[in-house]
């Protein structure tokens, strides 16, 4: 199996939405990415940090999904990263109520020796210097480095972020972030400007409106699957990234055509993530459910034209 290294948070989330409230539950970008990627034949490792308050059952859950957890640092007497948020009625906007960095504030990632030759590296949404540290630890340049980031780092660490962007092959951000990073309103022009910073591929996520993939003059659009119920959008973007990275790692094909398929696989898995609070849906996902919904995606997007 091809190797995938994921750097991202393993965390506690607490969520309020029009559909209810949770207590502290399993969350974090690394968690969602890993759970999504575990639906493919990949040899993956998560690099993250937690406190001693992080339950062993959560670590075992990830291990049981075939995820190597040697890169998880457990800080004795430390507290795990915690985020609490409240979603508005439309679920497209949210308020952050509490953010506690805790052990994440001093996180120095250590890539396990056996994964320093990984073909693909997925850099989850963390400080750019942490992401750079992971790239520096690899024995050789990965075949594909994928970066996920957000507007917070554009506001607070732009120069460091630009250094990471210059070293990756794919960047995934949402439409608002793409406009902020590029200074352009048109997403086509924004993608061109961002690609000029380094990445060969630019993926712009548009939430319930799907995702765009750009490479030079080529553009692909994948819709999001219309769903009857959306309970919790938390982790949907990370699940998308995990499905995208997991599929590419499993196939070893980094062409534009295969990137298009990876976008569909990522969108497909993200459509499951939002159906329950936190990671609940992703923990219990069955292969036949994934395949059935992929067929729905195919039916949604496929048509013939006589020209």
């Amino acid at each position: 199996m091809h190797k995938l290294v994921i750097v991202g948070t393993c965390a506690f989330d607490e969520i309020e939405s029009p559909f209810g409230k949770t207590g502290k539950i399993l969350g974090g970008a690394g968690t969602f990415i890993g759970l999504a990627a575990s639906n493919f034949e990949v040899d993956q490792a998560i690099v993250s940090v937690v406190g001693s308050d992080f339950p062993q059952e959560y670590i075992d859950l990830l291990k049981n999904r075939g995820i190597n957890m040697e890169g998880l640092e457990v800080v004795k007497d430390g507290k795990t990263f915690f985020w609490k948020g409240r979603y508005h009625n439309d679920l497209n906007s949210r308020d952050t109520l509490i953010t506690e960095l805790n052990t994440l504030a001093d996180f120095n990632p250590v890539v396990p020796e056996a994964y320093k030759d990984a073909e693909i590296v997925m850099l989850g949404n963390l400080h750019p210097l942490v992401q750079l540290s992971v790239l520096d630890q690899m024995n050789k340049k990965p075949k594909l480095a994928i970066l996920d980031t957000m507007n917070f780092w554009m506001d607070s660490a732009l120069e460091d972020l630009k250094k990471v962007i210059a070293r990756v092959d794919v960047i995934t951000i949402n439409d608002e972030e793409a406009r902020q990073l590029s200074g352009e309103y048109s997403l086509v022009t924004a993608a061109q400007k961002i690609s000029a910073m380094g990445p060969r591929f630019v993926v712009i996520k548009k939430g319930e409106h799907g995702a765009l993939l750009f490479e030079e003059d080529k553009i692909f659009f994948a819709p999001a699957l219309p769903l009857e119920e959306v309970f919790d959008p938390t982790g949907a973007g990370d699940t998308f990234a995990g499905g995208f990275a997991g599929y590419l790692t499993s196939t070893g094909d980094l062409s534009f055509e295969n990137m298009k398929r990876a976008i569909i696989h990522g969108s497909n898995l993200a459509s499951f993530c939002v159906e329950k609070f936190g990671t609940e849906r992703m923990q219990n996902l069955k292969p036949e459910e994934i395949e059935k919904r992929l067929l729905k995606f195919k039916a949604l997007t496929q048509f013939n034209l006589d020209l």
Side-chain angles (χ1 to χ4, degrees):
M1 289 190 290
H2 297 298
K3 292 179 184 176
L4 169 66
V5 166
I6 297 163
V7 57
T9 51
C10 291
F12 293 129
D13 288 342
E14 188 172 330
I15 299 153
E16 297 180 11
S17 88
F19 301 103
K21 299 179 181 180
T22 71
K24 278 189 177 181
I25 58 174
L26 175 61
T31 302
F32 282 105
I33 293 168
L35 286 172
S38 71
N39 290 289
F40 304 93
E41 289 291 320
V42 296
D43 180 5
Q44 63 164 313
I46 289 178
V47 178
S48 191
V49 64
V50 294
S52 52
D53 57 344
F54 195 73
Q56 183 62 41
E57 66 182 274
Y58 287 169
I59 299 174
D60 292 340
L61 185 155
L62 295 168
K63 284 182 178 178
N64 290 338
R65 293 298 295 258
I67 303 170
N68 184 295
M69 299 301 292
E70 289 174 41
L72 180 69
E73 179 188 359
V74 180
V75 179
K76 188 180 179 183
D77 300 325
K79 292 180 69 178
T80 301
F81 175 78
F82 171 60
W83 176 84
K84 180 177 181 179
R86 179 191 297 125
Y87 286 93
H88 298 183
N89 285 336
D90 65 356
L91 294 178
N92 287 322
S93 54
R94 71 185 184 193
D95 300 318
T96 292
L97 305 178
I98 300 172
T99 300
E100 296 176 359
L101 290 178
N102 298 328
T103 53
L104 194 65
D106 301 309
F107 178 38
N108 291 307
V110 178
V111 178
E113 201 63 41
Y115 289 86
K116 288 184 176 180
D117 60 349
E119 289 91 344
I120 294 185
V121 174
M122 176 71 230
L123 301 171
N125 179 24
L126 288 168
H127 194 291
L129 291 178
V130 173
Q131 296 171 325
L132 281 170
S133 170
V134 171
L135 292 178
D136 288 341
Q137 290 178 56
M138 304 306 289
N139 289 338
K140 58 182 179 180
K141 188 179 185 300
K143 289 183 179 177
L144 195 77
I146 307 167
L147 169 69
D148 189 30
T149 191
M150 66 183 298
N151 48 11
F152 178 80
W153 305 119
M154 297 172 198
D155 294 332
S156 62
L158 182 59
E159 291 310 308
D160 290 328
L161 178 59
K162 285 181 177 178
K163 292 175 186 174
V164 188
I165 292 173
R167 291 179 59 180
V168 300
D169 308 286
V170 184
I171 183 172
T172 71
I173 49 177
N174 68 29
D175 45 1
E176 177 191 352
E177 293 156 353
R179 289 178 171 125
Q180 178 176 342
L181 183 59
S182 66
E184 298 287 345
Y185 184 80
S186 160
L187 293 180
V188 175
T189 309
Q192 290 169 347
K193 283 207 167 181
I194 294 167
S195 183
M197 298 177 187
R200 177 180 162 194
F201 301 96
V202 177
V203 177
I204 299 179
K205 300 172 287 187
K206 293 172 60 65
E208 64 179 324
H209 304 297
L212 287 156
L213 169 68
F214 298 87
E215 184 199 14
E216 296 178 342
D217 60 345
K218 298 191 284 287
I219 304 175
F220 173 69
F221 172 71
L225 193 69
L227 298 171
E228 291 181 18
E229 291 184 316
V230 175
F231 270 81
D232 175 18
T234 311
D238 296 314
T239 300
F240 169 87
F244 179 80
Y247 177 77
L248 290 174
T249 305
S250 67
T251 59
D253 179 354
L254 307 181
S255 66
F256 184 78
E257 287 303 309
N258 205 48
M259 290 273 171
K260 287 158 67 171
R261 289 186 280 271
I263 291 273
I264 295 294
H265 278 280
S267 299
N268 188 50
L269 289 170
S271 76
F272 288 105
C273 177
V274 301
E275 292 181 335
K276 299 281 186 182
F277 282 114
T279 60
E280 183 182 348
R281 190 69 175 94
M282 300 309 294
Q283 291 178 36
N284 302 304
L285 198 52
K286 296 178 173 59
E288 55 268 26
E289 293 179 294
I290 297 172
E291 187 173 342
K292 185 177 179 182
R293 192 162 288 185
L294 278 172
L295 291 172
K296 283 189 177 181
F297 259 99
K298 191 173 181 181
L300 180 70
T301 57
Q302 204 166 49
F303 56 88
N304 293 313
L305 282 178
D306 294 323
L307 296 173

